[in-house]
Amino acid sequence: MRNEEFVPFFQPVVALRTGEVAGVEVLARWQHANLGVVPPGVFIPIAEQDGLIGGVTAMLMAKAFAAAAMLPDPQWLALNVSPHLLRDLAFPKRIREAAEAVAFPLNRVVIEITESALLENLDHAQTISRELKAQGCRLALDDFGTGYSSLLHLQSLPFDELKVDRSFVGSMTERRESRKIVSAVVGLGQSLGMETIAEGVETEEQVEMLLLLGCDMGQGWLFGKPVPAEQLCDATIPRPPVKLRLTSSCWRDISWNSPPGQRLSHLQGLYEGAPAGLAFLSPDLRYVSINQQLAEMHDTPVQEHLGRLVSEIIPVLYPQIEPHLRRALAGDSVTAVEITQPATERRGAQTFLVSYLPAFDEAGEVVGISVAIVDITPRKRAEAALRESEDHYRHMVELNPQIPWVLDDKGMATMISPRWQQITGMSEEDSRGRGFINALHPEDRERVTEVIERSLRTAEPIDVECRMRTSGGEWRWIRSRGAPRRDETGRIIRWYGSADDIDAHKRLEDELRRRADEGRIPRSESD
Ligand code: C2E
Ligand code: CA
Ligand code: CA
């Protein structure tokens, strides 16, 4: 004590959903000249026995508060209090004085009490904790689940936080029993309006499971080991929140048979990252919870949904969805229904794909509906646009003196203008695929096929002249040209083109060539 060898170390407590540091816990260390760093499990019991614990604690508090002056608001400082000190009625005053000495606000002080402390003298503990509360401090019940008569203590003192002992957290990903205990403790904390802190968090898998169980905060090596005052600054930097990967083993056999309130908080953990709109409705069709994505689809903030009827929030859509909601309330799973919202002043018509799943309690009663919504408007629009352009095309085709055609990405004809049928007498069915080739002059067939194949390979426009047989049995020259059409990824999906009758032109050209050869007309260079 004379050498001031007792020093505080600090360990961050992290809000699991955001990764933000909520506060730090002070953990005692004895920096002994010869022994090195002595852990509290060794020297605290000795200090308690020898009646030195008051002095040790005072030293630690003074140093801890001095360091904590640099903690950003609203991060809190949590102190462990020995059961011995809970007998000392002057203890709240000591805390107050230590905090006030460095102007650290008392409402950012948390006092951690273990259950064994309460066993010794509940009357004193009650008086002291009431006083601590009165001066603004918060109370945490430490190592919950390891002591005796926990439930008695939980109700006899005004705790704000519940710390789940690390022995359960450490084994929860392997042992079903531990998981159930953590789940039950978190549920208990929630129903009593307390925040829950999981101790000894070492892996991301534990965080995933804790999020699913609805636990608020975590503390452990994953977020940071206890560090001396010089490193306190680094310890309070926010961590990136752990992402729910939905692949972790914790999903496979988690027990969902928990009370509805808790089940909601399981869902809450999944809510914010989901690529869909999600909500949970009570049996009287009010929003119990809703995620940001869905709130945005409704153009209404999350907070304004809670407790209000679906019919109030989306009156226009309600008549469309009410039958589905009724079915879900009757216990049916309603999946993948399309809901269309008419255009409003603010946005165009929208289409949603929606599922309504009933949630059951242990007795098999429907306790609510979970809603999942995906906005499929962009997909619908793309489909409609494609249909429209094809309709448009077909329309043009029927009026056109040319012979429009469409080939698919393999060069197979999917559409040839009715004019083709009129001219060649070949049925539409016979012309499909590569059938149209049969209406061409036998000398031209191979060349035309080659031209098509080359364009499929090179994506160069199709341009080919050939002879086509008319229903009257004569051969006419046509020139067929087409260009590829691509989807948004650049892949060719179709070829659009048309054939023109160039027979007259071709004959004239032949005639000219013939005469030129006979020397009657000089051939031009470009010919
Ligand atoms: P605690 O209050 O439950 O403190 C948490 C203990 O868990 C700390 O051990 C901490 O270093 C350790 N811990 C933190 N994260 C992890 C983790 O991810 N994995 C594992 N395996 N352990 C982790 P530490 O510092 O040895 O403290 C032991 C106990 O000593 C504390 O348990 C607390 O009950 C007591 N203690 C510590 N400082 C004080 C103090 O200033 N006064 C009193 N009266 N008791 C103290
Ligand atoms: Ca503690
Ligand atoms: Ca603890």
Side-chain angles (χ1 to χ4, degrees):
M1 295 253 315
R2 264 197 303 277
N3 295 344
E4 301 239 342
E5 284 173 353
F6 298 103
V7 294
F9 271 45
F10 301 86
Q11 188 178 31
V13 176
V14 168
L16 292 176
R17 272 187 260 288
T18 62
E20 212 92 31
V21 173
V24 293
E25 178 178 359
V26 177
L27 294 160
R29 297 290 181 268
W30 180 9
Q31 283 185 319
H32 191 278
N34 306 327
L35 300 175
V37 178
V38 182
V42 175
F43 67 85
I44 296 273
I46 300 173
E48 283 174 345
Q49 261 169 36
D50 296 352
L52 293 171
I53 187 68
V56 171
T57 306
M59 183 183 297
L60 285 167
M61 273 192 324
K63 291 182 183 177
F65 277 121
M70 49 142 301
L71 274 188
D73 194 14
Q75 291 181 11
W76 38 253
L77 188 75
L79 301 164
N80 290 286
V81 175
S82 162
H84 292 251
L85 298 180
L86 279 190
R87 279 185 237 141
D88 176 5
L89 290 173
F91 177 73
K93 182 161 155 270
R94 286 188 224 284
I95 296 270
R96 192 170 65 231
E97 285 170 356
E100 279 169 357
V102 295
F104 192 83
L106 280 162
N107 61 7
R108 283 167 55 204
V109 175
V110 179
I111 304 295
E112 296 194 2
I113 301 172
T114 59
E115 299 188 273
S116 55
L118 301 173
L119 276 181
E120 290 187 14
N121 191 333
L122 195 55
D123 276 354
H124 264 95
Q126 268 175 333
T127 316
I128 290 171
S129 38
R130 249 188 309 239
E131 208 170 314
L132 285 168
K133 290 283 289 188
Q135 67 188 26
C137 300
R138 288 155 60 82
L139 294 186
L141 184 51
D142 206 353
D143 301 340
F144 187 75
T146 59
Y148 304 96
S149 3
S150 310
L151 295 177
L152 178 70
H153 298 138
L154 212 48
Q155 59 149 38
S156 60
L157 289 183
F159 290 107
D160 305 281
E161 291 167 15
L162 203 55
K163 297 193 81 171
V164 187
D165 192 69
R166 68 168 186 270
S167 58
F168 304 120
V169 177
S171 55
M172 68 186 287
T173 47
E174 283 93 49
R175 296 189 56 212
R176 210 191 163 82
E177 293 73 21
S178 302
R179 178 159 66 243
K180 286 199 164 172
I181 291 172
V182 176
S183 166
V185 171
V186 169
L188 191 62
Q190 280 177 348
S191 48
L192 294 173
M194 299 177 193
E195 294 200 298
T196 44
I197 302 176
E199 300 186 308
V201 178
E202 295 179 359
T203 66
E204 296 209 341
E205 197 183 5
Q206 287 167 346
V207 176
E208 278 193 72
M209 190 175 290
L210 289 164
L211 280 170
L212 286 172
L213 295 175
C215 186
D216 306 299
M217 288 180 269
Q219 175 180 4
W221 296 344
L222 178 69
F223 305 115
K225 294 202 170 182
V227 293
E230 306 85 73
Q231 293 166 34
L232 179 56
C233 212
D234 299 333
T236 62
I237 297 169
R239 319 283 189 271
V242 171
K243 286 233 156 55
L244 284 174
R245 283 164 302 164
L246 313 186
T247 50
S248 118
S249 65
C250 59
W251 278 87
R252 280 198 284 280
D253 53 0
I254 200 159
S255 160
W256 295 96
N257 292 332
S258 37
Q262 206 179 324
R263 202 178 297 143
L264 281 182
S265 60
H266 296 166
L267 290 172
Q268 202 73 52
L270 294 169
Y271 264 21
E272 298 316 327
L278 299 172
F280 192 84
L281 307 177
S282 59
D284 61 347
L285 302 178
R286 291 173 192 276
Y287 289 94
V288 175
S289 64
I290 180 167
N291 75 348
Q292 191 61 36
Q293 288 84 324
L294 184 53
E296 277 167 20
M297 288 183 207
H298 290 167
D299 278 334
T300 309
V302 167
Q303 221 48 36
E304 284 178 29
H305 282 81
L306 305 179
R308 285 178 58 198
L309 291 165
V310 179
S311 55
E312 288 176 67
I313 301 284
I314 42 172
V316 180
L317 283 182
Y318 190 70
Q320 237 188 108
I321 65 175
E322 194 189 356
H324 302 301
L325 292 173
R326 297 281 164 219
R327 272 185 58 202
L329 284 179
D332 285 351
S333 295
V334 183
T335 54
V337 283
E338 270 190 26
I339 303 283
T340 48
Q341 170 154 22
T344 63
E345 282 160 33
R346 300 189 51 186
R347 43 174 87 168
Q350 285 179 289
T351 313
F352 301 102
L353 201 60
V354 192
S355 294
Y356 301 103
L357 301 180
F360 300 96
D361 67 2
E362 289 78 4
E365 291 216 12
V366 176
V367 291
I369 302 175
S370 61
V371 184
I373 301 185
V374 184
D375 184 353
I376 55 168
T377 313
R379 204 174 84 197
K380 284 275 151 190
R381 277 206 197 113
E383 279 172 17
L386 192 61
R387 238 191 343 263
E388 212 169 89
S389 76
E390 280 182 355
D391 285 351
H392 179 71
Y393 196 75
R394 195 155 284 143
H395 212 70
M396 263 181 46
V397 157
E398 272 144 33
L399 298 172
N400 207 308
Q402 298 169 320
I403 310 169
W405 47 257
V406 182
L407 302 185
D408 67 10
D409 58 335
K410 309 271 180 323
M412 297 295 162
T414 55
M415 206 268 333
I416 299 187
S417 147
R419 273 190 65 76
W420 168 264
Q421 295 165 48
Q422 283 166 19
I423 298 170
T424 61
M426 192 180 219
S427 74
E428 201 200 338
E429 216 190 330
D430 289 346
S431 319
R432 279 180 185 274
R434 288 286 165 85
F436 62 90
I437 296 276
N438 295 325
L440 305 183
H441 196 286
E443 284 171 19
D444 296 342
R445 289 179 191 167
E446 208 178 299
R447 191 166 44 85
V448 171
T449 309
E450 271 165 20
V451 167
I452 293 173
E453 294 299 336
R454 193 181 56 230
S455 288
L456 291 179
R457 271 195 317 276
T458 61
E460 305 252 315
I462 294 172
D463 190 351
V464 65
E465 292 177 5
C466 59
R467 281 156 290 179
M468 154 187 95
R469 194 190 146 89
T470 67
S471 54
E474 62 173 316
W475 294 103
R476 290 187 75 85
W477 279 97
I478 52 169
R479 179 179 182 188
S480 198
R481 281 174 293 183
R485 170 157 173 173
R486 299 167 189 273
D487 67 8
E488 63 276 11
T489 69
R491 204 175 58 87
I492 293 176
I493 44 171
R494 276 185 200 82
W495 293 77
Y496 287 101
S498 77
D500 297 289
D501 188 323
I502 55 165
D503 200 66
H505 176 78
K506 198 77 180 166
R507 278 181 209 286
L508 184 65
E509 224 177 63
D510 283 353
E511 176 69 13
L512 288 173
R513 197 175 290 122
R514 199 171 48 77
R515 289 193 194 175
D517 288 348
E518 286 169 7
R520 274 186 265 168
I521 295 179
R523 274 184 84 172
S524 76
E525 291 284 295
S526 63
D527 203 7

